[in-house]
Amino acid sequence: MSLENFINESASKWMEGNGPESDIVISSRVRLARNLADVPFPHMMNKEQSEKVISEVYDAIQNNRVLAGDFELIRMKDLSKLERKALVEKHLISPALANNEYGAVLLSRDEGVSIMINEEDHLRIQSLFSGQQLEEAWDLCTKLDDVLEERLNYAFNEQIGYLTACPTNVGTGIRVSVMVHLPALVMTNQLNRIFSAIGHVGLTVRGLYGEGTQAIGNIYQISNQITLGQAEEEIIDNLNSVTRQIIEQERTARGLLLKEKKIKLQDKIGRAYGILSNAYILTSEEAMRLLSDVRLGIDLKLIDNINPRILTEMMVILRPAYLQKLAGKELSPAERDVRRAKIVRNRLSVKKTKDSGGVY
Amino acid sequence: MLCEECGKRPASVHITKVVNGEKTERHLCEECARELEDFSFSFQPNFTIHNLLAGLLDSAKESPIGVNISQKIQCPFCGMTFNQFSQYGRFGCSQCYGSFHGRIEPILRRIHGSHVHTGKVPRRTGGKIRLKKEIDKLKRQLEQAVKKEEFEKAAELRDKIRELENQIGRE
């Protein structure tokens, strides 16, 4: 797959929406932070050192016959600002990487794995799966890590584990997270209670777009905070069991809403559907808020002719940089709002039976 | 007037904020203003994990006799001083962990509640450590086996442990 496709192709593997518990869990992600022993951390590197790290990592992948053909190296300096943003919006790279001129990423064909080079650490190995599949994501990451380690000299300390630029990642260097859609818990005002409990078990909750952002479209990201002192499997078990409980709570809340507030719920969902199928101007905030309602309607079988994938798909497609990539030109905010509304109208007019995804 | 963010388009959005009597003004073009509120990734909140960390370290670096020794501790490999680290919240290189030895554990305990890694060990670089951890694991299993009187399994485990211990001896 060429670079063009990475940016233009709308659906990544994680967006397919067919993983376990995908009515609530949108995606599962595992990320490992690794560093080379004999080079300063990326924020202290010069251009030559950055290049050296990129070529060492690239060689390590090329050295493996199975992986060599599956990964493509993309350097940040070869991408426009818009293209970088589009990769961020697809969750394939981090904002920090996009901002580093000397950064690069090795992307797998199906976009399930990205190895970020010269982010905050030399390597950030990330795998992204649809639905609740943390174990699968970890399995893939650790195997890749083993392959890379055959050739790379990792910074590792017997007592404190993998060494990282920031002490908050030291030890396992692992960050596991799930993205969950929790409309019923938001509607019933139960989130604060649940989130404060989550804080007590070493996990943290954030809005959709990571650090410092509010939740958009009732989508939250839950991840581990502690990376040292617990084994990877314990960290994953911990997040898995908390996620299971949240799924349980969200399902209960949905059931209650359906039982006690059905008309109100139908009204809310119907209005959302009505606006989305008829609006000519949509901001991303409004679009996501209404799409969240429509998705809830699909999950509760109050709407039956739309593919549930719509929320995940639109979550990426309606973002500013992505919209502009699709349009093939720069758009002003006002133009984007018009374009966004058009895409949503088209999408909603396609019936499920002939749902091919090729309407953009 | 040009937009402060992009420096290209004329500024058409003017934002004045007064926080605790302190006035800040921003002059942006429509696009950049929207980007900023459009949960864009170019927005960097002032309160980051690194600032938070620096705060944590600040309280730890004061010496009781009033001499600030931490300024003088420097990593010989990348040149970062402990003082710089505590302002920045990030190490300069992996050697810093060794260079700032003794000052790191309390920080790690504050962040993670622990300072001992119990997870994955790299296969190649951590050869011996890996074997040691494997032996520890087998020993725990052996104890369990003996407790449950599964002697056949215990004998198997004992042989495995011997083999690994020999392997360490050889290396």
Side-chain angles (χ1 to χ4, degrees):
Chain A
M1 187 181 282
S2 69
L3 168 59
E4 275 295 284
N5 287 344
F6 277 128
I7 295 156
N8 291 335
E9 186 88 353
S10 50
S12 293
K13 194 178 155 213
W14 71 268
M15 286 159 63
E16 281 165 11
N18 47 10
E21 319 290 354
S22 57
D23 57 329
I24 292 167
V25 185
I26 295 173
S27 66
S28 300
R29 188 181 68 132
V30 170
R31 187 223 70 196
L32 298 177
R34 297 288 186 259
N35 285 285
L36 306 185
D38 43 7
V39 193
F41 291 138
H43 66 101
M44 298 280 278
M45 289 192 309
N46 57 32
K47 199 182 162 195
E48 285 69 39
Q49 287 166 322
S50 308
E51 271 306 312
K52 187 179 166 238
V53 175
I54 294 176
S55 68
E56 275 190 35
V57 177
Y58 182 66
D59 289 348
I61 286 289
Q62 287 298 309
N63 186 49
N64 184 295
R65 224 177 278 160
V66 185
L67 296 177
D70 201 36
F71 280 87
E72 182 171 358
L73 180 73
I74 301 167
R75 288 164 201 271
M76 288 306 118
K77 67 172 163 55
D78 296 337
L79 299 182
S80 68
K81 249 191 145 172
L82 206 59
E83 288 168 328
R84 295 183 203 180
K85 272 197 185 185
L87 287 176
V88 173
E89 291 172 357
K90 276 181 110 170
H91 299 260
L92 298 178
I93 65 171
S94 67
L97 186 76
N99 287 328
N100 182 4
E101 218 40 48
Y102 302 139
V105 62
L106 278 158
L107 268 181
S108 72
R109 243 165 237 284
D110 62 2
E111 306 188 352
V113 181
S114 43
I115 303 171
M116 290 176 251
I117 310 172
N118 299 336
E119 209 243 22
E120 184 181 271
D121 295 297
H122 292 138
L123 285 116
R124 290 269 171 107
I125 308 165
Q126 170 187 293
S127 73
L128 202 51
F129 276 68
S130 155
Q132 192 179 7
Q133 303 194 66
L134 282 175
E135 273 122 356
E136 289 78 358
W138 156 242
D139 191 54
L140 189 58
C141 267
T142 188
K143 279 182 181 149
L144 259 172
D145 182 43
D146 289 342
V147 169
L148 290 166
E149 203 252 334
E150 281 173 25
R151 300 278 294 222
L152 302 174
N153 192 16
Y154 280 161
F156 182 84
N157 171 299
E158 183 166 355
Q159 162 128 52
I160 49 180
Y162 293 94
L163 304 177
T164 53
C166 182
T168 51
N169 293 314
V170 86
T172 55
I174 199 173
R175 193 74 65 202
V176 297
S177 63
V178 288
M179 213 191 283
V180 283
H181 181 225
L182 306 174
L185 288 177
V186 173
M187 269 183 234
T188 51
N189 286 322
Q190 291 183 74
L191 272 190
N192 283 344
R193 186 175 55 80
I194 293 170
F195 287 173
S196 71
I198 286 175
H200 291 295
V201 291
L203 300 175
T204 166
V205 188
R206 289 180 301 188
L208 177 51
Y209 293 104
E211 265 170 86
T213 57
Q214 64 189 109
I216 288 148
N218 301 321
I219 298 169
Y220 294 85
Q221 204 171 296
I222 309 168
S223 57
N224 67 309
Q225 224 166 357
I226 287 165
T227 57
L228 181 63
Q230 293 177 347
E232 291 83 351
E233 288 80 5
E234 291 175 72
I235 293 172
I236 289 164
D237 276 356
N238 198 5
L239 182 56
N240 255 339
S241 82
V242 167
T243 306
R244 270 195 295 275
Q245 289 175 52
I246 289 179
I247 293 172
E248 206 52 47
Q249 297 268 341
E250 169 69 19
R251 290 214 175 112
T252 308
R254 287 181 185 189
L256 273 173
L257 281 173
L258 206 51
K259 207 170 122 203
E260 287 168 19
K261 300 253 159 61
K262 187 165 181 189
I263 286 286
K264 256 187 126 174
L265 195 64
Q266 276 178 316
D267 181 65
K268 189 176 167 71
I269 291 163
R271 278 167 191 272
Y273 182 78
I275 293 172
L276 288 175
S277 22
N278 293 294
Y280 277 75
I281 298 172
L282 273 178
T283 63
S284 43
E285 195 280 329
E286 185 181 20
M288 284 309 293
R289 181 164 50 77
L290 298 173
L291 281 164
S292 165
D293 291 345
V294 165
R295 171 68 203 256
L296 178 64
I298 299 168
D299 289 337
L300 294 178
K301 315 239 178 311
L302 298 172
I303 299 179
D304 65 356
N305 57 356
I306 308 169
N307 191 318
R309 212 174 96 172
I310 190 167
L311 179 73
T312 323
E313 243 170 31
M314 292 297 148
M315 198 171 96
V316 172
I317 290 169
L318 301 183
R319 303 268 289 140
Y322 213 89
L323 265 183
Q324 296 179 66
K325 270 315 290 178
L326 282 175
K329 59 177 180 198
E330 283 202 30
L331 302 169
S332 73
E335 288 171 328
R336 294 207 292 265
D337 290 349
V338 173
R339 189 135 199 134
R340 187 177 286 121
K342 189 177 169 203
I343 289 176
V344 174
R345 280 200 318 275
N346 282 342
R347 190 70 182 86
L348 287 177
S349 68
V350 177
K351 294 288 173 269
K352 199 180 179 181
T353 42
K354 46 178 177 177
D355 194 355
S356 63
V359 287
Y360 321 111
Chain B
M1 188 191 294
L2 286 178
C3 166
E4 293 175 355
E5 274 291 307
C6 62
K8 285 182 202 152
R9 292 171 287 263
S12 56
V13 180
H14 307 277
I15 306 162
T16 309
K17 261 190 197 167
V18 182
V19 181
N20 295 333
E22 212 173 293
K23 193 171 150 191
T24 51
E25 280 183 71
R26 300 221 62 187
H27 307 284
L28 306 165
C29 66
E30 188 198 7
E31 175 145 0
C32 292
R34 275 287 301 272
E35 284 296 284
L36 281 181
E37 63 170 17
D38 223 25
F39 39 92
S40 152
F41 72 80
S42 61
F43 170 69
Q44 299 280 347
N46 287 324
F47 192 73
T48 65
I49 182 72
H50 305 297
N51 296 131
L52 195 67
L53 222 58
L56 261 175
L57 292 165
D58 255 356
S59 62
K61 79 179 178 199
E62 287 301 320
S63 133
I65 44 169
V67 185
N68 199 343
I69 346 164
S70 57
Q71 250 165 350
K72 295 196 180 63
I73 303 174
Q74 189 176 28
C75 173
F77 299 92
C78 66
M80 184 171 268
T81 64
F82 188 76
N83 217 23
Q84 279 173 321
F85 163 67
S86 57
Q87 272 166 24
Y88 202 49
R90 265 189 264 178
F91 295 104
C93 68
S94 58
Q95 312 277 2
C96 287
Y97 283 90
S99 309
F100 304 149
H101 185 74
R103 288 166 178 272
I104 310 256
E105 283 87 58
I107 302 166
L108 294 181
R109 270 200 302 275
R110 284 173 99 153
I111 301 171
H112 298 284
S114 161
H115 62 284
V116 183
H117 176 59
T118 56
K120 186 174 176 175
V121 174
R123 227 176 269 267
R124 192 170 53 90
T125 17
K128 247 188 184 173
I129 313 164
R130 209 185 161 84
L131 287 177
K132 271 193 221 159
K133 293 215 170 176
E134 182 67 29
I135 291 172
D136 285 347
K137 200 174 107 195
L138 290 174
K139 279 187 178 160
R140 281 197 298 273
Q141 285 176 5
L142 177 64
E143 249 173 65
Q144 286 297 318
V146 172
K147 252 188 215 159
K148 288 185 197 156
E149 305 192 351
E150 297 169 341
F151 296 115
E152 217 164 289
K153 195 177 164 196
E156 237 171 68
L157 287 165
R158 186 202 55 209
D159 290 347
K160 244 190 206 162
I161 293 170
R162 260 190 211 152
E163 197 190 306
L164 291 178
E165 277 172 344
N166 284 338
Q167 212 174 318
I168 288 188
R170 275 198 304 274
E171 272 174 22

